[in-house]
Amino acid sequence: MDRSAYAGWIPLACIMAAICLVAISAIVWVTSPNWGLHNAIAPSRDVGVIPTVPSKPSPLITPDRIEIPKIGTDAAVFAIPTAADGALDPPIDPRQVGWWDGGVRPGSPKGTAIITSHINYAGVAGALARIGLLNPGDAVYIYGINAAKTVKAKYTITGVRSYYKTALPYKEIFDQKSVGRVALVTCGGPFDQATGNYLENIVVFAVPA
């Protein structure tokens, strides 16, 4: 479903407007109206690689916090389901992050764990707004519950990608049969004053360190 016609009445946010699962694939449309914070906080970049080789094992966790020291991120993570209409919306508070519980959990040996947030909302920059500035080798720490205990798992960035929303390779990004990995997703790239939306999605891939 093309949600672009609705962008005008979704205020001040970068949202995942549709993730429709069909045979473990996804269709994603992201809108991100302006709130004056669009000056290269998530610039267009293509560096590093998308992980395709199995990495070292990591604890399987239900995430509740993410920390990215390089960009000053320390945010609570909340499970976000796929709604009946196929929509997946991050928490309204941009300082919080959503983990798509319809996919795998971080630490799964197969599949992509999706973590996303608004780029900004009501004048507040999102927790993942600056992920486009990350580089391969940068650290990401994901905290969560494993066997009733809190676990801290370290991940390493492997690649950063910028995708125009109209050409988003959703099957690759949301692949639930890939090697175990995490994908951090927000909006970024050029800002379209005419529509009030960022034109791209920024996707950062990471694997257990």
Side-chain angles (χ1 to χ4, degrees):
M1 177 177 176
D2 184 352
R3 300 295 184 87
S4 59
Y6 294 86
W9 55 264
I10 302 176
L12 316 177
C14 165
I15 69 169
M16 288 296 194
I19 294 184
C20 302
L21 303 179
V22 180
I24 318 181
S25 66
I27 300 174
V28 183
W29 185 262
V30 182
T31 61
S32 51
N34 178 27
W35 190 245
L37 294 173
H38 58 273
N39 295 321
I41 56 176
S44 303
R45 294 183 68 213
D46 291 284
V47 297
V49 300
I50 298 174
T52 58
V53 178
S55 57
K56 64 184 296 183
S58 181
L60 184 65
I61 60 177
T62 301
D64 56 26
R65 181 178 157 217
I66 185 170
E67 181 183 3
I68 311 175
K70 182 175 181 179
I71 58 174
T73 293
D74 189 345
V77 178
F78 297 90
I80 49 175
T82 304
D85 64 355
L88 180 66
D89 291 344
I92 291 297
D93 186 342
R95 294 164 294 191
Q96 299 175 348
V97 174
W99 160 66
W100 174 43
D101 65 5
V104 300
R105 289 182 286 168
S108 173
K110 291 183 63 176
T112 308
I114 306 297
I115 296 177
T116 183
S117 81
H118 295 304
I119 190 170
N120 58 65
Y121 197 98
V124 178
L128 302 183
R130 297 173 62 84
I131 60 172
L133 302 177
L134 295 171
N135 291 306
D138 288 337
V140 176
Y141 298 94
I142 300 176
Y143 299 77
I145 304 301
N146 174 279
K149 295 182 179 180
T150 298
V151 174
K152 177 183 179 181
K154 182 179 180 181
Y155 284 75
T156 299
I157 302 298
T158 65
V160 180
R161 292 290 184 271
S162 302
Y163 301 107
Y164 273 90
K165 296 171 186 177
T166 53
L168 192 70
Y170 56 87
K171 290 183 179 180
E172 179 179 36
I173 296 169
F174 295 90
D175 187 359
Q176 297 300 294
K177 295 182 179 180
S178 70
V179 297
R181 62 191 188 185
V182 168
L184 310 177
V185 185
T186 193
C187 295
F191 184 80
D192 185 354
Q193 294 285 354
T195 64
N197 289 294
Y198 295 87
L199 298 181
E200 296 179 355
N201 289 141
I202 307 298
V203 183
V204 173
F205 294 93
V207 295

